[in-house]
mmCIF file of all heavy atoms in Angstrom:
data_model
loop_
_atom_site.group_PDB
_atom_site.id
_atom_site.type_symbol
_atom_site.label_atom_id
_atom_site.label_comp_id
_atom_site.label_asym_id
_atom_site.label_seq_id
_atom_site.Cartn_x
_atom_site.Cartn_y
_atom_site.Cartn_z
ATOM 1 N N LEU A 44 78.178 6.093 60.297
ATOM 2 C CA LEU A 44 76.789 5.644 60.288
ATOM 3 C C LEU A 44 76.499 4.776 61.507
ATOM 4 O O LEU A 44 75.454 4.927 62.148
ATOM 5 C CB LEU A 44 76.486 4.873 59.001
ATOM 6 C CG LEU A 44 75.069 4.365 58.825
ATOM 7 C CD1 LEU A 44 74.105 5.540 58.709
ATOM 8 C CD2 LEU A 44 74.977 3.490 57.596
ATOM 9 N N ALA A 45 77.427 3.884 61.840
ATOM 10 C CA ALA A 45 77.256 3.038 63.024
ATOM 11 C C ALA A 45 77.202 3.887 64.292
ATOM 12 O O ALA A 45 76.423 3.599 65.211
ATOM 13 C CB ALA A 45 78.394 2.030 63.113
ATOM 14 N N LEU A 46 78.006 4.934 64.360
ATOM 15 C CA LEU A 46 77.993 5.835 65.510
ATOM 16 C C LEU A 46 76.634 6.514 65.656
ATOM 17 O O LEU A 46 76.061 6.546 66.749
ATOM 18 C CB LEU A 46 79.094 6.888 65.370
ATOM 19 C CG LEU A 46 79.149 7.946 66.455
ATOM 20 C CD1 LEU A 46 79.614 7.329 67.767
ATOM 21 C CD2 LEU A 46 80.083 9.056 66.037
ATOM 22 N N PHE A 47 76.096 7.035 64.564
ATOM 23 C CA PHE A 47 74.800 7.708 64.628
ATOM 24 C C PHE A 47 73.673 6.737 64.975
ATOM 25 O O PHE A 47 72.792 7.062 65.773
ATOM 26 C CB PHE A 47 74.490 8.420 63.313
ATOM 27 C CG PHE A 47 75.241 9.704 63.138
ATOM 28 C CD1 PHE A 47 75.915 9.958 61.965
ATOM 29 C CD2 PHE A 47 75.285 10.653 64.137
ATOM 30 C CE1 PHE A 47 76.618 11.139 61.786
ATOM 31 C CE2 PHE A 47 75.974 11.836 63.980
ATOM 32 C CZ PHE A 47 76.648 12.082 62.793
ATOM 33 N N ILE A 48 73.693 5.551 64.398
ATOM 34 C CA ILE A 48 72.657 4.565 64.703
ATOM 35 C C ILE A 48 72.746 4.148 66.164
ATOM 36 O O ILE A 48 71.733 4.016 66.853
ATOM 37 C CB ILE A 48 72.764 3.350 63.765
ATOM 38 C CG1 ILE A 48 72.375 3.762 62.346
ATOM 39 C CG2 ILE A 48 71.874 2.203 64.245
ATOM 40 C CD1 ILE A 48 72.627 2.696 61.307
ATOM 41 N N GLY A 49 73.966 3.957 66.667
ATOM 42 C CA GLY A 49 74.149 3.608 68.075
ATOM 43 C C GLY A 49 73.672 4.717 68.997
ATOM 44 O O GLY A 49 73.036 4.456 70.026
ATOM 45 N N LEU A 50 73.957 5.962 68.642
ATOM 46 C CA LEU A 50 73.529 7.100 69.449
ATOM 47 C C LEU A 50 72.007 7.205 69.489
ATOM 48 O O LEU A 50 71.408 7.394 70.560
ATOM 49 C CB LEU A 50 74.135 8.387 68.884
ATOM 50 C CG LEU A 50 73.984 9.656 69.686
ATOM 51 C CD1 LEU A 50 74.727 9.527 71.016
ATOM 52 C CD2 LEU A 50 74.538 10.827 68.900
ATOM 53 N N ILE A 51 71.367 7.034 68.352
ATOM 54 C CA ILE A 51 69.908 7.082 68.290
ATOM 55 C C ILE A 51 69.306 5.936 69.100
ATOM 56 O O ILE A 51 68.345 6.127 69.856
ATOM 57 C CB ILE A 51 69.430 7.046 66.823
ATOM 58 C CG1 ILE A 51 69.801 8.362 66.129
ATOM 59 C CG2 ILE A 51 67.933 6.802 66.735
ATOM 60 C CD1 ILE A 51 69.638 8.330 64.629
ATOM 61 N N SER A 52 69.878 4.741 68.968
ATOM 62 C CA SER A 52 69.386 3.591 69.729
ATOM 63 C C SER A 52 69.534 3.823 71.229
ATOM 64 O O SER A 52 68.660 3.450 72.016
ATOM 65 C CB SER A 52 70.147 2.327 69.336
ATOM 66 O OG SER A 52 69.951 2.037 67.988
ATOM 67 N N PHE A 53 70.639 4.423 71.638
ATOM 68 C CA PHE A 53 70.872 4.730 73.043
ATOM 69 C C PHE A 53 69.792 5.666 73.579
ATOM 70 O O PHE A 53 69.214 5.431 74.640
ATOM 71 C CB PHE A 53 72.266 5.348 73.207
ATOM 72 C CG PHE A 53 72.611 5.726 74.606
ATOM 73 C CD1 PHE A 53 72.947 4.743 75.532
ATOM 74 C CD2 PHE A 53 72.612 7.041 75.007
ATOM 75 C CE1 PHE A 53 73.277 5.084 76.832
ATOM 76 C CE2 PHE A 53 72.934 7.396 76.295
ATOM 77 C CZ PHE A 53 73.271 6.409 77.221
ATOM 78 N N PHE A 54 69.500 6.739 72.843
ATOM 79 C CA PHE A 54 68.479 7.688 73.289
ATOM 80 C C PHE A 54 67.082 7.058 73.295
ATOM 81 O O PHE A 54 66.265 7.358 74.166
ATOM 82 C CB PHE A 54 68.498 8.951 72.438
ATOM 83 C CG PHE A 54 69.675 9.841 72.733
ATOM 84 C CD1 PHE A 54 70.465 10.328 71.706
ATOM 85 C CD2 PHE A 54 70.012 10.173 74.028
ATOM 86 C CE1 PHE A 54 71.548 11.143 71.966
ATOM 87 C CE2 PHE A 54 71.090 10.991 74.313
ATOM 88 C CZ PHE A 54 71.863 11.474 73.272
ATOM 89 N N ILE A 55 66.803 6.201 72.326
ATOM 90 C CA ILE A 55 65.516 5.503 72.313
ATOM 91 C C ILE A 55 65.407 4.585 73.527
ATOM 92 O O ILE A 55 64.355 4.488 74.159
ATOM 93 C CB ILE A 55 65.328 4.721 70.999
ATOM 94 C CG1 ILE A 55 65.117 5.704 69.851
ATOM 95 C CG2 ILE A 55 64.169 3.748 71.094
ATOM 96 C CD1 ILE A 55 65.107 5.050 68.478
ATOM 97 N N GLY A 56 66.507 3.911 73.875
ATOM 98 C CA GLY A 56 66.515 3.046 75.055
ATOM 99 C C GLY A 56 66.266 3.828 76.333
ATOM 100 O O GLY A 56 65.513 3.383 77.213
ATOM 101 N N ILE A 57 66.886 4.989 76.465
ATOM 102 C CA ILE A 57 66.671 5.828 77.647
ATOM 103 C C ILE A 57 65.211 6.269 77.721
ATOM 104 O O ILE A 57 64.592 6.226 78.789
ATOM 105 C CB ILE A 57 67.620 7.051 77.624
ATOM 106 C CG1 ILE A 57 69.046 6.584 77.874
ATOM 107 C CG2 ILE A 57 67.201 8.086 78.657
ATOM 108 C CD1 ILE A 57 70.077 7.686 77.735
ATOM 109 N N ALA A 58 64.651 6.697 76.596
ATOM 110 C CA ALA A 58 63.248 7.124 76.576
ATOM 111 C C ALA A 58 62.321 5.963 76.930
ATOM 112 O O ALA A 58 61.325 6.155 77.647
ATOM 113 C CB ALA A 58 62.892 7.679 75.203
ATOM 114 N N ASP A 59 62.643 4.760 76.476
ATOM 115 C CA ASP A 59 61.834 3.583 76.791
ATOM 116 C C ASP A 59 61.878 3.292 78.290
ATOM 117 O O ASP A 59 60.846 2.993 78.898
ATOM 118 C CB ASP A 59 62.340 2.386 75.996
ATOM 119 C CG ASP A 59 61.436 1.184 76.128
ATOM 120 O OD1 ASP A 59 60.208 1.373 76.099
ATOM 121 O OD2 ASP A 59 61.967 0.055 76.243
ATOM 122 N N ILE A 60 63.045 3.379 78.889
ATOM 123 C CA ILE A 60 63.166 3.151 80.335
ATOM 124 C C ILE A 60 62.363 4.190 81.109
ATOM 125 O O ILE A 60 61.653 3.864 82.068
ATOM 126 C CB ILE A 60 64.649 3.160 80.758
ATOM 127 C CG1 ILE A 60 65.358 1.924 80.202
ATOM 128 C CG2 ILE A 60 64.787 3.211 82.274
ATOM 129 C CD1 ILE A 60 66.865 1.952 80.361
ATOM 130 N N LYS A 61 62.440 5.449 80.698
ATOM 131 C CA LYS A 61 61.669 6.503 81.363
ATOM 132 C C LYS A 61 60.168 6.242 81.244
ATOM 133 O O LYS A 61 59.424 6.451 82.199
ATOM 134 C CB LYS A 61 62.014 7.868 80.770
ATOM 135 C CG LYS A 61 63.365 8.388 81.186
ATOM 136 C CD LYS A 61 63.621 9.765 80.587
ATOM 137 C CE LYS A 61 64.966 10.304 80.993
ATOM 138 N NZ LYS A 61 65.238 11.631 80.410
ATOM 139 N N ASP A 62 59.726 5.802 80.067
ATOM 140 C CA ASP A 62 58.309 5.501 79.867
ATOM 141 C C ASP A 62 57.849 4.357 80.768
ATOM 142 O O ASP A 62 56.748 4.398 81.331
ATOM 143 C CB ASP A 62 58.031 5.147 78.411
ATOM 144 C CG ASP A 62 58.097 6.353 77.490
ATOM 145 O OD1 ASP A 62 58.048 7.495 77.997
ATOM 146 O OD2 ASP A 62 58.204 6.143 76.260
#
Side-chain angles (χ1 to χ4, degrees):
L44 181 65
L46 177 70
F47 283 131
I48 291 172
L50 189 64
I51 291 168
S52 298
F53 179 75
F54 286 130
I55 290 172
I57 290 174
D59 188 41
I60 291 170
K61 286 182 180 179
D62 288 344

